[in-house]
Amino acid sequence: MERQTARRTQTDVTQMIESLFANVNLAKDLSARCKGRSLQLKDDEIQNIAQDLDNVLQNIYDELGRIPASAFGSNAYMDVLIKSQSMRGYSEADIYMNVMGNRPRRSLRDNDTPKLVDFLQGMYHESHEYGGQMFNTLPEVAEYIEPLYDAFFCPLTNEIMTDPVTTESGVTCDRRAIEEYIERFSDSSEPIYCPVTKMPMQSKTVMSNASLKSVIEEWTMRNEAMRVRIARTALSLSTADTMVIEAMHELKLLAKLRGKNRELMHKIGVTKFLARLLDNHNAQIQCDALELLCLLAEDEEGKDIIGKTKAIARTVKLLSSNTTGERHAAISFLLELSKSQLLLENIGSTPGSILILTTMKINNTDDPIAAEKAGAVLKNLEKCPKNIKYMAESGYLEPLQSYLVEGSEEMQMEMVSFLSELVQEQELTIDINRSTSEILIKMARSCNPRVRKAAFDVLVQLSLHHPNSKMLVDAGAVPVMIEELFIRKVDDEPVNSMASAATVLANIVESGIDPDNTVVNKEGHVLTSKYSIYNFVHMLKCFMPDDLNLSIIRVLLALTALAKPLATVVSVIRENHRGHAIVELMSSPMEALSLAATRLLITLSPYIGHTIVERLCKTQGQPRKLVKSISHAGRITERQAALAMLLARLPYRNTSLNVALVQEGAVPTILSAIKEMQNGAARSSKHAVPYMEGLVGALVRLTATLYSPEVLKVAMDHNLASVLTELLSGPAGSDEVQRLAAVGLENLSYLSIKLSQPPPDELLSKKNSILKLLKDSKAHSNNKKSTHHQVNVCLVHRGVCSPATTFCLLEAGTVEGLLGCLENDNVRVVEAALGALCTLLDERVDVEKSVTALSELDVTRRVLGALRQHRQNVLWQKCFCVVEKLLEHGDDRCLREVTGDRMLPTALVSAFHRGDPSTKQAAESILRRLHKMPDYSATYVCPWSSSDFIFVENN
């Protein structure tokens, strides 16, 4: 072996000698420097020279250690090697090599690894310092330590033999090689010659060389073990990325060869060390480490070791890498780990692992390979029940639903418990299939209270997602919920199951299903049948749980959105006098229940409004609570807006409620709240608009009962005419606010003629003298004030008027605001404004003076514009009323404006053809005045010709 090595390293010996001479010359130079400048050297210079000398000596020792034994003889080589390496930390026992035997080998012990570190450091030091590549690869280092024999090589392939055999000629070859050689001459009649000796082979039979095979196998095992240790040592250096990458490539090759190599890697710490390399900055090192770990994880021992490191957490981070290679290596490694039952929980509990894996699986178009492997990992992780919960938390619910439907009874109970915990911890949007729905409904009917509760909790959350409602209805959820509510008794089951059933039912009904076709029992009753509604209404009781009452009211609210069930609900409540229960629930401390009850009362108020008012007034303290509730301090809640809206929707002409509100101080409270809203307070709230509309409606309702002295007094005291006038065009006014203000002004204006009284005669006779006195007083003394007051007489109402005392629209300056409302696109606002204006054209007032006043404000153009824009009967009637008064009492300019409008004939004809009886009558009256209908009493001659009329047969 030494001779063989010497032949391969003759050139290296020459280089070593040259290097030794160079180091000796360098040492002489350093010595001369010390002698020549011994007195001038400083401490730092002395230290530097000493360090250089140490380096020179170290290099000499290294070169001596590299000289082969054949250059000196065996004993001399051992002496030189031991002396050269003694300075490097090697002991004689570590370096000793038995050169006397036939098979030289170096003894391997568990504590050799630190010595190999020094050996590799020296090797790489020489390589980088002098550029002399003594060893090109780590396997060459192993062969240097564990040398090869020439006898190991097959003469035919020049490779190490795996199954050596001996031929008739005595040549040893690898069995596969010699058999292939002989096979080539099987069809030939020529003799076969030995490929090595070239002598004829009489026999094709070969004999196995068992002893050589044993030697080769033993050497192979030692060589691979040494290669593993050397690669492990190279990894521990970690100073050069190239060294680490080469070491891992060597380890991957060895790990693939045999399981014993992997066992050795586990034993000497390769597996643990690789986990640390996953945090390396070099992407190539990370990928190689993952690939090697994947090989080492093929056996359970490797998986167990990896599970005790931070490899899983670090691998999960690499799943989000931007590099495709890293992602694929990471997912492949996790796939191998997920095959171990012991690591399933470890992988699933790693933060972010399930979420990243599910994301990779869902986004399969981005990286199909990674998506496929991520799905395989998740499939393996399903074997651990806890991981199914983690998947559900990450939005991946298919495994949970699958086990819920197909699993054993115990597994189903565990899954429904998981799902119940999950829906209670967080709001999930879950899409379910028919099978899952049926299983959950079946569990809801279970005799096990725990299972029933879990199933109901899940059904409550599932039914919140409206697309699931159709699935639940098809699966038969409604009859089960109805049975839970109507048939089961409170003594049989806890009330909370009834509340859950009611919540599920409410969610289903609110989702938009067809209640007319939703069967609730075997008798064929549906949700909108009187049977169902009767039971719903009778379940509303104050002593029942708030959650149950809330869900029942939600069901009724959803049903009353349709005309047919609304009529049934009204009928049941009226016949069974159940309105009081809803009124009482409105005072519930639970805000959601109070809000729902209020909304239901608002819906029912047009039909049983007086019944609701009667109950409100009979309930002690209820009006006071209402007034207190609608006041706000900065923040407007939905409940406050609903209560204000309820006051605005209840019958206006109910004197009992209006008087009760006045007595409880509602008007100052409402006016204060309106003022705050006009000033911009809380206007940004999403409930600001309905709240404002409710406040104005509650105020306007008082104008419907001005015949009550208490209501009339408060209307005068707070000058409601001016307040409503301001609301017509105020900054907080919506269309509904304007409409309500116009309605209130109409109610107030009707009373103006009654409240306006003619002034005393003495005041009228002294009117001029009073004016003269005022002028004289101002001329003679600026400081002297007159004690007399001018009396304003309203020309329309023929008496003394003011906004506060008589609610006169002219004195309040309301007409301009009303005329502005005529240009609104909302027909209801226009109708209300016209209604208020028509009060100034009533037969009890001076219509001629009123028309004159209105004409000065351009009323003709605006009324005709509203008539041109809208085509509703009520609006037509009111417009025609104003037009008729303008024709009857207007001056020439007013008449020209009316008769000059080319759209008026079309509107009159259309109203006469298609209007209701009242509209036809109003249109006919104007047509008679225009001499287009027989009327012999008319005195006005219309300048129109018959060609001006356009008869429209169709809309």
Side-chain angles (χ1 to χ4, degrees):
M1 183 203 73
E2 286 298 331
R3 288 194 299 272
Q4 181 180 333
T5 304
R7 287 197 301 269
R8 292 199 298 264
T9 58
Q10 289 179 357
T11 304
D12 293 340
V13 171
T14 303
Q15 293 176 353
M16 294 174 193
I17 294 173
E18 291 176 354
S19 179
L20 283 172
F21 277 115
N23 282 300
V24 170
N25 291 333
L26 182 58
K28 289 179 180 180
D29 180 63
L30 292 170
S31 177
R33 288 171 58 193
C34 291
K35 290 179 180 179
R37 301 172 59 194
S38 60
L39 299 178
Q40 301 177 1
L41 292 174
K42 298 180 181 180
D43 292 340
D44 293 340
E45 294 177 338
I46 294 174
Q47 291 179 0
N48 291 336
I49 293 173
Q51 182 64 40
D52 291 339
L53 284 171
D54 287 340
N55 292 337
V56 171
L57 292 174
Q58 189 67 52
N59 291 337
I60 294 173
Y61 293 143
D62 292 339
E63 297 297 341
L64 289 174
R66 294 172 59 189
I67 298 175
S70 59
F72 302 99
S74 298
N75 294 333
Y77 172 74
M78 288 300 299
D79 292 339
V80 173
L81 183 60
I82 291 172
K83 288 178 182 179
S84 66
Q85 297 295 337
S86 62
M87 297 299 294
R88 302 289 304 276
Y90 285 96
S91 64
E92 183 177 352
D94 292 326
I95 304 300
Y96 179 79
M97 181 179 291
N98 183 6
V99 298
M100 301 302 293
N102 292 329
R103 292 178 299 170
R105 73 178 70 175
R106 183 179 177 190
S107 60
L108 300 176
R109 298 187 299 275
D110 292 340
N111 59 355
D112 281 347
T113 303
K115 304 302 183 294
L116 289 173
V117 171
D118 296 335
F119 185 85
L120 289 171
Q121 283 177 335
M123 180 189 74
Y124 276 87
H125 172 75
E126 293 167 355
S127 174
H128 292 294
E129 189 74 21
Y130 301 109
Q133 297 288 335
M134 182 177 179
F135 302 119
N136 294 321
T137 61
L138 292 177
E140 291 182 6
V141 179
E143 291 182 13
Y144 178 79
I145 299 174
E146 190 66 43
L148 274 168
Y149 292 105
D150 287 339
F152 291 176
F153 290 90
C154 174
L156 300 182
T157 62
N158 203 28
E159 296 177 356
I160 299 175
M161 293 180 287
T162 57
D163 187 9
V165 295
T166 303
T167 64
E168 179 186 19
S169 58
V171 177
T172 302
C173 303
D174 192 73
R175 181 184 295 276
R176 180 179 57 83
I178 191 64
E179 287 180 351
E180 289 179 355
Y181 175 79
I182 296 174
E183 183 67 22
R184 291 204 300 266
F185 299 95
S186 59
D187 298 334
S188 176
S189 59
E190 298 179 2
I192 301 175
Y193 294 90
C194 176
V196 178
T197 64
K198 306 302 180 182
M199 296 178 62
M201 296 177 60
Q202 302 299 326
S203 173
K204 298 180 182 179
T205 304
V206 294
M207 298 181 61
S208 177
N209 193 335
S211 59
L212 182 57
K213 182 178 180 180
S214 176
V215 172
I216 291 175
E217 290 176 350
E218 186 178 343
W219 176 88
T220 301
M221 297 296 292
R222 291 197 311 273
N223 177 267
E224 291 179 1
M226 180 56 64
R227 289 166 64 185
V228 170
R229 291 179 179 274
I230 290 173
R232 170 64 178 89
T233 304
L235 283 179
S236 65
L237 297 177
S238 295
T239 56
D241 291 347
T242 55
M243 183 192 303
V244 177
I245 292 173
E246 182 183 353
M248 283 195 291
H249 286 176
E250 177 72 0
L251 289 171
K252 282 193 288 184
L253 179 62
L254 294 169
K256 294 176 182 178
L257 288 177
R258 65 189 80 253
K260 287 189 176 182
N261 292 339
R262 295 193 292 270
E263 293 176 4
L264 180 59
M265 293 179 196
H266 300 325
K267 183 178 180 181
I268 64 176
V270 172
T271 309
K272 291 182 179 179
F273 188 81
L274 289 173
R276 297 201 295 270
L277 292 180
L278 296 180
D279 285 334
N280 196 283
H281 66 281
N282 190 313
Q284 183 61 43
I285 290 178
Q286 291 178 333
C287 287
D288 288 342
L290 287 169
E291 292 174 2
L292 181 53
L293 281 170
C294 190
L295 293 172
L296 295 175
E298 291 181 359
D299 53 76
E300 289 300 321
E301 182 183 359
K303 291 184 175 70
D304 182 58
I305 295 173
I306 292 170
K308 296 176 182 178
T309 66
K310 296 181 180 180
I312 295 177
R314 290 165 178 163
T315 303
V316 169
K317 291 181 181 179
L318 294 176
L319 289 176
S320 302
S321 173
N322 294 327
T323 306
T324 304
E326 288 186 352
R327 286 200 309 272
H328 289 182
I331 193 64
S332 298
F333 177 45
L334 275 185
L335 179 58
E336 187 62 38
L337 292 180
S338 65
K339 297 176 182 178
S340 173
Q341 187 71 27
L342 300 176
L343 295 180
L344 294 179
E345 185 174 350
N346 191 345
I347 297 173
S349 61
T350 301
S353 60
I354 299 292
L355 181 59
I356 295 174
L357 287 170
T358 53
T359 304
M360 292 176 70
K361 182 180 185 298
I362 295 171
N363 300 329
N364 53 3
T365 56
D366 297 339
D367 191 344
I369 297 175
E372 182 181 358
K373 292 186 177 181
V377 175
L378 290 171
K379 190 66 178 178
N380 292 336
L381 295 179
E382 292 177 13
K383 299 173 184 177
C384 177
K386 287 186 178 180
N387 288 339
I388 298 177
K389 182 181 179 183
Y390 297 146
M391 294 178 192
E393 290 174 348
S394 300
Y396 183 49
L397 294 163
E398 285 80 356
L400 191 148
Q401 293 193 43
S402 176
Y403 281 96
L404 185 62
V405 174
E406 301 174 1
S408 61
E409 184 177 354
E410 183 180 356
M411 178 62 73
Q412 289 178 338
M413 293 176 61
E414 190 172 6
M415 291 299 104
V416 77
S417 298
F418 278 161
L419 195 53
S420 174
E421 294 174 10
L422 197 60
V423 298
Q424 291 178 5
E425 292 172 1
Q426 54 181 301
E427 293 184 3
L428 288 178
T429 300
I430 304 173
D431 293 314
I432 57 172
N433 52 40
R434 177 71 176 267
S435 301
T436 305
S437 302
E438 292 175 349
I439 289 295
L440 290 171
I441 293 170
K442 180 181 178 181
M443 289 182 173
R445 307 183 71 177
S446 171
C447 297
N448 188 329
R450 186 174 67 87
V451 175
R452 277 171 51 81
K453 182 181 183 307
F456 271 115
D457 290 341
V458 175
L459 286 171
V460 167
Q461 189 63 37
L462 292 178
S463 59
L464 284 173
H465 188 40
H466 287 174
N468 290 332
S469 298
K470 179 69 167 58
M471 190 69 67
L472 290 172
V473 171
D474 294 341
V478 173
V480 175
M481 301 303 120
I482 291 293
E483 178 184 356
E484 192 73 25
L485 289 172
F486 296 169
I487 299 176
R488 287 183 182 271
K489 303 300 182 183
V490 177
D491 298 336
D492 298 336
E493 292 290 341
V495 179
N496 59 0
S497 64
M498 295 178 63
S500 298
T503 303
V504 173
L505 190 61
N507 293 339
I508 291 175
V509 176
E510 288 176 346
S511 68
I513 65 166
D514 183 6
D516 290 327
N517 296 318
T518 305
V519 180
V520 300
N521 56 21
K522 296 179 180 179
E523 286 73 19
H525 293 123
V526 295
L527 278 172
T528 56
S529 64
K530 193 169 184 178
Y531 164 81
S532 302
I533 293 176
Y534 177 88
N535 282 281
F536 286 139
V537 171
H538 276 266
M539 288 187 70
L540 293 174
K541 298 181 179 65
C542 293
F543 58 82
M544 295 295 281
D546 289 344
D547 291 340
L548 178 59
N549 284 326
L550 173 60
S551 297
I552 296 300
I553 290 180
R554 287 175 56 201
V555 172
L556 292 174
L557 272 172
L559 293 177
T560 53
L562 304 174
K564 180 181 176 181
L566 172 61
T568 307
V569 171
V570 171
S571 173
V572 170
I573 293 177
R574 183 183 287 127
E575 292 173 4
N576 296 275
H577 307 287
R578 302 299 300 177
H580 67 279
I582 306 174
V583 173
E584 290 173 357
L585 291 175
M586 189 177 64
S587 303
S588 170
M590 182 181 180
E591 185 170 352
L593 176 56
S594 174
L595 174 62
T598 305
R599 290 173 57 196
L600 182 58
L601 290 174
I602 292 172
T603 303
L604 298 175
S605 59
Y607 310 98
I608 55 172
H610 290 286
T611 303
I612 297 172
V613 169
E614 180 183 359
R615 190 64 194 178
L616 280 173
C617 295
K618 285 185 178 180
T619 303
Q620 186 176 4
Q622 190 67 56
R624 184 183 299 109
K625 291 179 181 178
L626 281 173
V627 173
K628 185 177 179 181
S629 298
I630 62 176
S631 62
H632 74 92
R635 187 177 69 90
I636 302 172
T637 64
E638 187 177 3
R639 180 172 179 265
Q640 289 174 325
L643 289 172
M645 189 61 68
L646 176 62
L647 288 178
R649 296 291 179 84
L650 290 173
Y652 279 13
R653 297 188 178 276
N654 193 290
T655 309
S656 300
L657 179 60
N658 290 352
V659 171
L661 292 175
V662 169
Q663 292 175 348
E664 297 298 338
V667 175
T669 301
I670 293 172
L671 291 176
S672 176
I674 290 175
K675 195 67 177 177
E676 290 182 18
M677 294 294 294
Q678 288 177 326
N679 293 334
R683 197 182 297 174
S684 60
S685 172
K686 65 179 181 179
H687 307 299
V689 172
Y691 179 65
M692 183 67 175
E693 293 173 356
L695 291 175
V696 176
L699 193 65
V700 170
R701 70 171 296 109
L702 299 178
T703 64
T705 55
L706 292 173
Y707 49 80
S708 169
E710 293 179 80
V711 177
L712 179 61
K713 182 178 184 304
V714 77
M716 292 180 174
D717 292 344
H718 293 90
N719 195 0
L720 289 190
S722 297
V723 172
L724 295 177
T725 298
E726 186 179 356
L727 289 171
L728 278 177
S729 57
S734 62
D735 287 351
E736 182 63 13
V737 168
Q738 289 182 325
R739 187 193 71 82
L740 290 170
V743 170
L745 289 167
E746 180 183 358
N747 294 336
L748 292 172
S749 183
Y750 271 122
L751 202 63
S752 296
I753 188 65
K754 180 180 179 181
L755 296 176
S756 178
Q757 299 295 330
D761 293 339
E762 58 271 15
L763 291 178
L764 291 175
S765 62
K766 294 181 179 179
K767 179 178 180 180
N768 294 330
S769 60
I770 292 174
L771 292 175
K772 185 175 182 301
L773 289 174
L774 288 173
K775 292 179 181 179
D776 294 341
S777 175
K778 183 176 181 180
H780 291 88
S781 178
N782 292 328
N783 297 325
K784 184 179 179 181
K785 297 182 179 179
S786 175
T787 59
H788 298 282
H789 299 280
Q790 183 178 1
V791 178
N792 294 323
V793 179
C794 178
L795 298 179
V796 175
H797 297 113
R798 307 184 186 93
V800 179
C801 283
S802 70
T805 58
T806 65
F807 315 124
C808 179
L809 300 186
L810 293 173
E811 294 293 333
T814 309
V815 177
E816 292 85 346
L818 292 173
L819 292 176
C821 291
L822 296 182
E823 299 176 358
N824 198 301
D825 294 332
N826 191 328
V827 66
R828 298 187 67 205
V829 176
V830 178
E831 289 176 0
L834 284 170
L837 290 172
C838 285
T839 61
L840 297 176
L841 301 174
D842 189 85
E843 294 178 354
R844 297 175 299 169
V845 304
D846 191 332
V847 179
E848 185 173 348
K849 296 290 192 302
S850 180
V851 168
T852 301
L854 292 175
S855 297
E856 293 177 356
L857 297 174
D858 199 17
V859 67
T860 305
R861 181 183 62 82
R862 299 194 184 189
V863 171
L864 292 175
L867 186 62
R868 185 181 300 109
Q869 184 177 0
H870 303 286
R871 292 289 186 272
Q872 284 74 23
N873 283 319
V874 176
L875 185 141
W876 272 346
Q877 293 176 31
K878 294 180 179 181
C879 284
F880 292 159
C881 174
V882 176
V883 170
E884 186 176 9
K885 297 297 182 183
L886 293 175
L887 289 173
E888 183 178 357
H889 301 283
D891 56 12
D892 292 341
R893 183 177 65 86
C894 181
L895 292 175
R896 284 194 301 271
E897 289 180 354
V898 173
T899 57
D901 188 86
R902 299 183 61 85
M903 287 298 298
L904 180 60
T906 303
L908 289 170
V909 172
S910 179
F912 187 75
H913 283 170
R914 297 176 182 80
D916 59 22
S918 299
T919 304
K920 285 184 177 182
Q921 184 178 357
E924 182 181 359
S925 178
I926 297 177
L927 289 171
R928 283 199 182 102
R929 289 187 178 278
L930 299 176
H931 289 226
K932 300 304 175 183
M933 295 278 298
D935 185 4
Y936 299 100
S937 64
T939 59
Y940 173 72
V941 178
C942 178
W944 292 339
S945 64
S946 60
S947 60
D948 291 331
F949 287 88
I950 301 175
F951 293 89
V952 181
E953 296 296 335
N954 297 300
N955 287 329

